[in-house]
Amino acid sequence: MAFEKFDLTGKTALITGAAGLLGMEHAAALLESGATIVLTDISNDALHSARSLLAQKSEGAMIRLQIMDVSKPQAVQAVAEAMTLDGLRVDILVNNAAIDPKVEGAQGVLESSRVENFPLEQWNSQIAVGLTGAFLCSQVFGTLMAKDGKGGVILNIASDLSVISPDQRLYRKEGLPEDMQPVKPVTYSVIKSGLIGLTRYLATYWAHKGVRCNALSPGGVFAGQDKVFIERLSSLIPLGRLAQKEEYRSAIQFLCSDASAYLNGQNIVIDGGRSAL
Ligand SMILES: NC(=O)c1ccc[n+]([C@@H]2O[C@H](COP(=O)([O-])OP(=O)(O)OC[C@H]3O[C@@H](n4cnc5c(N)ncnc54)[C@H](O)[C@@H]3O)[C@@H](O)[C@H]2O)c1
């Protein structure tokens, strides 16, 4: 059968930051492939709405919820223990959680996003979630995957900004002085590049135990952003548009299943060709 290797029946996939825009899509993709899903995030309400939406589309699906702050080692450990108690083995870990700092206008956070004024607290909190969180989850769940000899898959969600620099012209607000211009914060590039290092490291670390680790680097997703931003970003993308949020689903299915059994330590960039320019 052509798609047999994509089948995830009998596998359990845990997604971090699962109640967000793309986390929901990753969950939908893995449900479609037959996996049992563990949705984790920091808000109970958001998790419940995520489950309701997903359940509407996949009747009879196994969807479990766990509050989990990825930046807290005890919280990650507690979820792992709860899974084990319930006889669930996490076969697939999708490190997706991130703090997405919005690039805002003059009344917003723009001055503090600039390197000259970037607050250490923001640096620490964003790295704690986007990078340290991926490490902590990989440490706990990867150790369990490696331990019983059954292996597993770790997928880190990076970004096209793991391979290119942000183009700060995208965020420019006319009429503002240079030192007030909004920018994509430095943490974003650092976290996403760091995730690629983590990916390569883990890919070789547990390879002999059957644990593969790859990264998926999505380009910008259309989510109702303002018109000027969309026009500017589209002009940097050879396909001439942002991604629809569903457009990463098949990559998720490939990367998390045996369809990619020989892929390890790679960063798959899906960005409409932006980074090829
Ligand atoms: N949306 C895009 O255009 C885009 C493009 C490239 C890469 N990405 C990456 O994809 C991933 C998902 O992005 P998104 O657009 O769905 O963002 P989002 O903000 O919608 O979702 C992120 C989720 O992470 C959760 N989160 C925040 N702090 C957390 C913590 N301490 N512990 C656990 N969860 C926490 C949030 O509650 C949220 O549900 C991120 O890693 C992001 O950088 C997004």
Side-chain angles (χ1 to χ4, degrees):
M1 207 169 61
F3 294 107
E4 205 176 329
K5 290 190 169 160
F6 285 83
D7 187 13
L8 293 175
T9 307
K11 302 280 184 196
T12 298
L14 184 147
I15 303 158
T16 69
L21 181 75
L22 286 184
M24 290 274 292
E25 294 302 317
H26 308 330
L30 296 168
L31 278 172
E32 195 179 47
S33 296
T36 293
I37 300 293
V38 185
L39 303 177
T40 72
D41 209 306
I42 45 176
S43 150
N44 203 23
D45 289 351
L47 279 172
H48 278 89
S49 345
R51 177 161 66 185
S52 305
L53 280 169
L54 288 163
Q56 277 167 19
K57 292 179 199 150
S58 14
E59 221 174 290
M62 284 282 292
I63 307 173
R64 180 170 172 146
L65 308 181
Q66 288 284 337
I67 296 270
M68 183 171 84
D69 181 336
V70 296
S71 66
K72 304 244 160 40
Q74 308 87 320
V76 178
Q77 191 60 48
V79 170
E81 281 163 19
M83 302 275 98
T84 307
L85 271 180
D86 287 359
L88 278 182
R89 178 188 190 274
V90 174
D91 305 289
I92 299 160
L93 166 68
V94 182
N95 285 317
N96 168 78
I99 294 178
D100 181 19
K102 299 287 172 236
V103 177
E104 289 177 11
Q107 276 73 48
V109 294
L110 81 168
E111 304 96 283
S112 64
S113 283
R114 298 191 64 84
V115 169
E116 293 86 340
N117 308 319
F118 199 73
L120 184 58
E121 306 81 68
Q122 270 187 47
W123 171 275
N124 286 336
S125 66
Q126 290 168 17
I127 287 181
V129 175
L131 190 53
T132 312
F135 164 68
L136 291 172
C137 292
S138 302
Q139 181 181 44
V140 169
F141 294 106
T143 298
L144 293 171
M145 287 175 194
K147 205 161 150 185
D148 65 7
K150 294 187 192 155
V153 172
I154 299 173
L155 180 62
N156 292 320
I157 306 299
S159 156
D160 54 358
L161 299 187
S162 69
V163 292
I164 55 173
S165 179
D167 186 333
Q168 305 294 9
R169 292 171 302 180
L170 287 172
Y171 313 101
R172 239 190 127 69
K173 291 253 183 311
E174 293 320 318
L176 287 178
E178 204 48 44
D179 62 352
M180 297 280 283
Q181 285 293 340
V183 289
K184 189 81 174 172
V186 60
T187 35
Y188 199 84
S189 290
V190 170
I191 289 165
K192 297 311 186 184
S193 301
L195 283 175
I196 307 309
L198 180 68
T199 300
R200 290 201 191 100
Y201 188 99
L202 295 180
T204 58
Y205 191 80
W206 282 316
H208 63 296
K209 302 278 188 186
V211 181
R212 296 187 293 120
C213 181
N214 289 295
L216 171 65
S217 280
V221 177
F222 176 77
Q225 296 94 332
D226 82 62
K227 198 165 160 274
V228 174
F229 176 80
I230 288 178
E231 277 170 14
R232 287 178 183 165
L233 181 51
S234 300
S235 74
L236 297 178
I237 301 172
L239 288 182
R241 62 174 179 84
L242 278 69
Q244 295 296 318
K245 60 183 171 33
E246 307 79 14
E247 286 186 296
Y248 300 107
R249 284 192 189 187
S250 38
I252 293 285
Q253 291 169 335
F254 171 68
L255 289 165
C256 293
S257 69
D258 283 349
S260 62
Y262 199 55
L263 187 75
N264 193 25
Q266 300 304 311
N267 180 19
I268 307 302
V269 184
I270 303 185
D271 64 354
R274 180 175 173 196
S275 58
L277 281 175

